[in-house]
Amino acid sequence: MGLLARMLTIVMALLGGVVFSQGPEFAQQYRQRIGGALDELRKIVDAFDSQAVQNGLDRREALSVYAGSPEVFLRNQGDAMRRIFERYDRLSAQQRELALEPPVTRPLLLLRRPDLTLAKNTWNDFVPAVPVDLAGLIWGAAGCVLGWATAAGCGAASRGMTRAARVRRA
């Protein structure tokens, strides 16, 4: 392997390490966003439930009042509240899953079932960080190996194509 090929392999390994090491940091920033979203959704849920109780209803009954209204606006408002409750439940479940998940596998959990709105907003505001915890180091090492393997595979394929071209010319 020539000097240039070795240098490219090292650069690819380092680049892979840097990129992959950000997985746990992204998961951490995503978790913080879930917390903020749940705080705001909780205010809406609590206000709705409180108003329902003040009127002698539980949540299900209050939503039924909305659904049975002859006013389209009120039916739409009921549907919006139903979606808020569903999102709150989904995010709460994901927050519990992330809390129970070891830090090193949290990025994998996010890859399986992200809340797309939160993931997009997390990405838009993402601030890379230097990984100093075990999860960041493990992901960084995995990225180094993947980067090295990619560079080595590309080099092997290139050498194979060069040999094949020489054989065809001969």
Side-chain angles (χ1 to χ4, degrees):
M1 187 185 308
L3 180 61
L4 180 60
R6 283 189 196 118
M7 287 175 50
L8 285 174
T9 301
I10 290 170
V11 167
M12 287 291 290
L14 292 174
L15 183 62
V18 168
V19 169
F20 269 57
S21 72
Q22 297 308 302
E25 180 59 26
F26 182 86
Q28 174 61 25
Q29 290 180 31
Y30 181 93
R31 283 181 68 205
Q32 291 170 349
R33 277 195 178 268
I34 282 181
L38 286 172
D39 289 345
E40 291 305 308
L41 289 171
R42 169 54 60 198
K43 291 176 189 175
I44 296 167
V45 167
D46 286 348
F48 183 91
D49 288 345
S50 176
Q51 289 173 1
V53 168
Q54 287 173 6
N55 289 282
L57 304 169
D58 63 19
R59 182 186 295 172
R60 185 183 48 76
E61 292 167 331
L63 287 172
S64 293
V65 170
Y66 275 113
S69 173
E71 295 294 325
V72 174
F73 170 75
L74 293 177
R75 287 194 309 269
N76 289 344
Q77 192 64 26
D79 289 341
M81 287 307 302
R82 199 171 281 106
R83 286 190 301 275
I84 286 171
F85 295 133
E86 289 168 359
R87 184 158 194 252
Y88 180 81
D89 290 342
R90 245 186 352 267
L91 291 179
S92 293
Q94 190 174 50
Q95 184 183 48
R96 284 189 303 276
E97 289 175 13
L98 283 167
L100 295 172
E101 195 77 19
V104 73
T105 55
R106 284 180 186 150
L108 298 174
L109 178 65
L110 292 184
L111 288 173
R112 288 193 306 258
R113 286 187 321 276
D115 178 277
L116 296 179
T117 301
L118 278 180
K120 178 180 172 271
N121 290 335
T122 302
W123 179 253
N124 288 341
D125 293 336
F126 181 68
V127 177
V130 175
V132 293
D133 63 345
L134 182 60
L137 295 175
I138 289 171
W139 276 81
C144 281
V145 170
L146 185 62
W148 174 83
T150 301
C154 289
S158 174
R159 286 188 300 277
M161 289 188 304
T162 302
R163 279 189 216 116
R166 286 183 190 147
V167 169
R168 280 192 301 266
R169 279 187 254 140

